[in-house]
Each structure stands twice: as structure tokens, then as C-alpha cells.
Amino acid sequence: MKRRQFLSLTTAALAAPTLFVRRANAAEPGAPLPVPEVMDVGPGSGNNLEAIRSTREFVAGVRSDTLGYSQDYLGPLLRFRRGQTANIDVTNRIDAPITAHWHGMHVPGHLDGGPQLAFGPGETWSPELPIDHPAATLFYHSHVHGRTADQVYRGLAGLIVIDDPDIDDPLPRDYGVNDFPLIVQDRSFDGAGRMTYDIGMMDLMQGFHGTEILVNGAIRPKLTVPAGLVRLRLVNGSNARMYNFSFTDGRTFHQVASDGGLLTAPISMTGLRLAAAERAEIVVDFSDRAAVRLVSTRGGSGMMGGGMMGNSGMMGGNGGMMGGGAEGSPLEILSFEIADARNPGPARLPEALPAPVVDLGEPVRRRDFTLNMHAGNMMGSMLNNLIGRDGQIMGINDESYDMGRIDLQVPHGETELWRINADMAMHPFHVHGTSFQVVTQNGRSVDPVRIGWKDVVHVEGPTEILLRFDKRAAADAPFMYHCHILEHEDAGMMGQFTVL
């Protein structure tokens, strides 16, 4: 297995026009939903992702500067098959370091794509990924410390779908017909219609909140679906915003999968909350042929008690071109219309799903984590230490992230209970290298079977997770734990650990 391989490009190759770029149509509210192109990644060569700088017309006639993996914005949907080795080359064609972190995937630390594995302009990283993960919807994105928020915001992210040949998937699975990926992001635009990312003090404290909602890179698009059961793979790809999804007619839908894969049975609901980087697969019945919209309640502030000075924030830079609607009105995500075409998928949901059953057993040790908004003199240094610079003004357990420091040494294959709390804000807490079970939130027991396997948990009070690491990570390529509000992560709310 390759540990870490970098190839250099010549200056001429870097300067060559990027003719391979596939440009999507200009996006306007109500335009058709773009469905990401699929890259089937298996053994052997020929699977290439190239990080590029480009432009995109989010608003017709107005080009915004963007980043993307082999596209002008975002990247293709990567499809992996459990039990295979996936060979992929990731080439850096931009003028700053990047990574490709396989968010949620169970791989060793030297293949995880964390900050220690950043590589520079003109280099290619060629990991061989042993796919040992249940069927799931995952996420990939750049993970360079101090630059993650900006790079992901501008487009260095995409979806992963893992298929498991050993299970009979009883759900809709005809991609682009009754099975759709939905990367939901909030972005801001200036008065001319250009996408902007301007960070002020409150944007740093709460995380950046945009004024317009994009799905797969299009502003509030429309999706045409067949009458019947349709699978939606929802990914919260925003830097910070939390979504509370529901349909405008109040219809019931069923969650069938969480971050780490399938649930044991479909869960009926009328609303679904997803924090930053959380994923959920839902099945919606459109057999009534009624046009309907997917919306979210507003809010999503990271501060306890509903936030400080509102979502836009004093000194914030996220004012928008179109305003995004009145406070209290729902955020428009996506509209649906029903096609005349026959739905080729199942007519009804099964009572049970083929979810993997794993008993982690009793924990052999407990660890405590406090997510700190005030690591050091935050208020005094905030304006001089904004995102993308070297200032570290947040932390975990009163320590800001230090790439040269190993915070934990976790034994391989032993079950642990991690207790997470926060000193003044709500945070989505992400752990690399494994999936975990949530056992308590806000001091109340929860049913981990109902929630499913997770790699992100929303911390708004004392939270306990049960986890075990079966993949190893050495000191030169450790795993990370961090807040997935990207501005918080970049500001130091992150730690790293070995698994030996």
C-alpha cells in the first residue's frame, strides 16, 4: 500500500489551459437541479481529481471566482465499492496547499487527508484507499489548517457514495431518477451578483452564514421526480449553518440512513435537523403528484440562547445581494415537480433495513473534552487574528490546535466513552477515522440505534459518544477531532491523536 506519494508537474503543465473542466449551466432560482457527474473509483489508474481555480455564473451574466475538483465548483460524486481498493490521483493545480479529506471514511491516518497531508502547487497525492465501510453517503473536502473554511466555501468539496455488494439495498437507487444527492450550502453575494466570503468578528464567533441557499451549486433549484418513492441524500455542506428541513405541506417522510450508513429501520418524521457536515438519507413519497418545496427554519446561530446580534452579526461581512427573505420566514431550499415518467423503484418501504450490527461493548476508559470559544484573550486579539492567518483564538480543553503536538494517544481496538461539552456555544463535533454511537445529549439518554452511526454530533450541552478505532494513525499523520464550524476549526478548535 502506498503511504504517501507526490508527483511534480512541470511549470508548463501548470500553465496549460484547463480544457478538461466541465462547466455547469448558469444557476438562477428555479433552474433545474444539477446532478453531479459520477466517478466510479476502483482498482487501477485513471481516476483523477484536479483542484483548480475557475469561475462560475451563479447569477446569469455574472462570474464569481471559485475552486473545484475537476469542475468549476465542487467535484464529481465519487462512487466506491466496499471490499475493493480505490486508486485515485489528486492533483493540485491552484497556488496554495490543499488536501482531500475523505470525511467519514474508515481509513488509516496516512490516507485520511487531514492537515498533516497537505500538498503544494504542482503536486499529486496518490492514495490507495482500502474501502472497508458500510454502504453510506460521505463527504470529501480540503482540510488545510487555517484555510479549510475559505477553500470549502469556494468549492473544494464533493460527495462520496459507498456501495456494499453484500447487502440487498431495498431502497430507490436509480441515480438521477429516484436517487439524488443534495449538497445544501449557504453562500453570500454582493450587489453585483458575485459570491463573496468576507469575515467579520461575529462571523468568526458564530461561523459564517450566507444569505442565499445553493443545492449542488445552484440557487434554490427545481427537481423533477417520478411519482412514488424518491431517495434524497442530504449533505449539510455549509461552513456553519444548521438546517431544520421540512416540506411546505407538512408531509411525513422517512429517514433511512445517517452519517455512517443505513438505520435498522425507516424512521417516520416531518422535520430533520442537520448541523454542518452531517448527512442523512431520506425517502419521500411523491405519489400524490403534488408540487411541494423543501424548506428550513431560519436561525442556525452557533451561540447559546439563539445568538448574539442576529445571524448577520455586528461587524459581519455576510450581507447579501438578494437579502434571503424576512427574519422568521423559512429558507427556501429546493422545489419539486412531478414527472409523468414511471418510477422504476420499489413501491413501498421495507419494515427493516440491512444495517450493520456492531456491539462496541463497555468502555475501558473515559475522556473529557470542552470546546472553548476563549482560548487565550479572544476578544482582545480577534480583529488581528481572523480566519486564514496564524492566530489561534479558540481551542479544546484550553489548548488551541498545534500541528506539532499530539493531544491524545488512543489504543487501537479499545472502546472509549468521550464526554463533550462547550463553554458558551453550540458546535458540531467531528471525529476522524471511525463512526460512533451517541448515547446521551443534554444529560438525557438517547437510542443510538434510532440515531444510527455518526461521525458528527451536535453539541449543545453535555454529550457522550461511544467509539472504537480499528484503523491506525501514526504521529506523522494523526487523526483529528474538531468543531465542524469551519471558522472555529481554522481558529484552533481542533486536536489530533494517534491510534497505535
Side-chain angles (χ1 to χ4, degrees), residues 195 254 332 419:
M195 186 175 72
H254 290 82
E332 299 282 340
R419 297 177 292 209

Side-chain angles (χ1 to χ4, degrees), residues 170-171 253-257 262-269 281 283 348-354 450:
L171 302 170
F253 55 92
H254 290 82
Q255 184 178 356
V256 294
L262 293 172
L263 305 179
T264 57
I267 303 295
S268 175
M269 57 186 62
E281 297 179 29
V283 174
R348 64 181 63 186
L349 278 174
E351 294 184 1
L353 297 168
R450 185 178 178 89

Side-chain angles (χ1 to χ4, degrees), residues 327-500:
E327 187 68 27
S329 63
L331 289 168
E332 299 282 340
I333 307 295
L334 178 69
S335 60
F336 294 87
E337 63 179 13
I338 314 304
D340 294 331
R342 175 182 174 274
N343 193 330
R348 64 181 63 186
L349 278 174
E351 294 184 1
L353 297 168
V357 177
V358 179
D359 183 2
L360 295 178
E362 291 297 316
V364 299
R365 70 185 54 81
R366 290 165 169 79
R367 302 182 191 268
D368 292 291
F369 302 84
T370 299
L371 309 180
N372 309 120
M373 295 288 286
H374 291 264
N377 183 11
M378 180 180 179
M379 297 303 292
S381 62
M382 187 174 295
L383 294 180
N384 294 322
N385 296 291
L386 296 180
I387 295 303
R389 304 179 187 176
D390 293 332
Q392 299 287 279
I393 58 179
M394 299 183 185
I396 298 177
N397 292 344
D398 294 316
E399 294 276 6
S400 288
Y401 176 65
D402 182 344
M403 190 173 287
R405 182 187 70 235
I406 298 298
D407 297 283
L408 300 175
Q409 295 177 334
V410 178
H412 176 265
E414 294 186 358
T415 297
E416 300 191 348
L417 183 75
W418 287 15
R419 297 177 292 209
I420 312 133
N421 210 341
D423 58 10
M424 66 174 291
M426 301 180 290
H427 304 273
F429 184 76
H430 172 48
V431 183
H432 290 210
T434 193
S435 300
F436 53 74
Q437 294 177 337
V438 181
V439 293
T440 69
Q441 284 186 292
N442 276 329
R444 296 188 297 270
S445 296
V446 299
D447 182 359
V449 173
R450 185 178 178 89
I451 292 177
W453 290 96
K454 299 285 292 174
D455 54 63
V456 178
V457 60
H458 182 63
V459 177
E460 52 186 329
T463 300
E464 294 180 318
I465 62 175
L466 198 65
L467 70 178
R468 183 181 69 205
F469 295 93
D470 296 325
K471 306 299 179 184
R472 298 183 185 272
D476 60 343
F479 288 137
M480 319 301 295
Y481 55 88
H482 59 86
C483 175
H484 219 286
I485 293 175
L486 299 184
E487 289 76 21
H488 292 182
E489 170 188 332
D490 280 345
M493 195 176 287
M494 181 160 62
Q496 58 188 14
F497 62 102
T498 59
V499 178
L500 301 173

Side-chain angles (χ1 to χ4, degrees), residues 244-328:
N244 294 284
F245 294 110
S246 63
F247 289 90
T248 48
D249 60 2
R251 70 177 57 202
T252 296
F253 55 92
H254 290 82
Q255 184 178 356
V256 294
S258 189
D259 296 347
L262 293 172
L263 305 179
T264 57
I267 303 295
S268 175
M269 57 186 62
T270 57
L272 173 67
R273 183 178 75 172
L274 290 184
E278 285 189 296
R279 288 92 62 209
E281 297 179 29
I282 65 174
V283 174
V284 188
D285 188 354
F286 292 101
S287 59
D288 61 1
R289 296 187 173 273
V292 68
R293 303 190 312 279
L294 181 67
V295 296
S296 170
T297 56
R298 284 184 183 273
S301 166
M303 306 306 294
M304 294 291 195
M308 299 171 59
M309 292 167 275
N311 279 344
S312 58
M314 185 182 72
M315 300 178 67
N318 55 355
M321 174 188 66
M322 291 169 260
E327 187 68 27

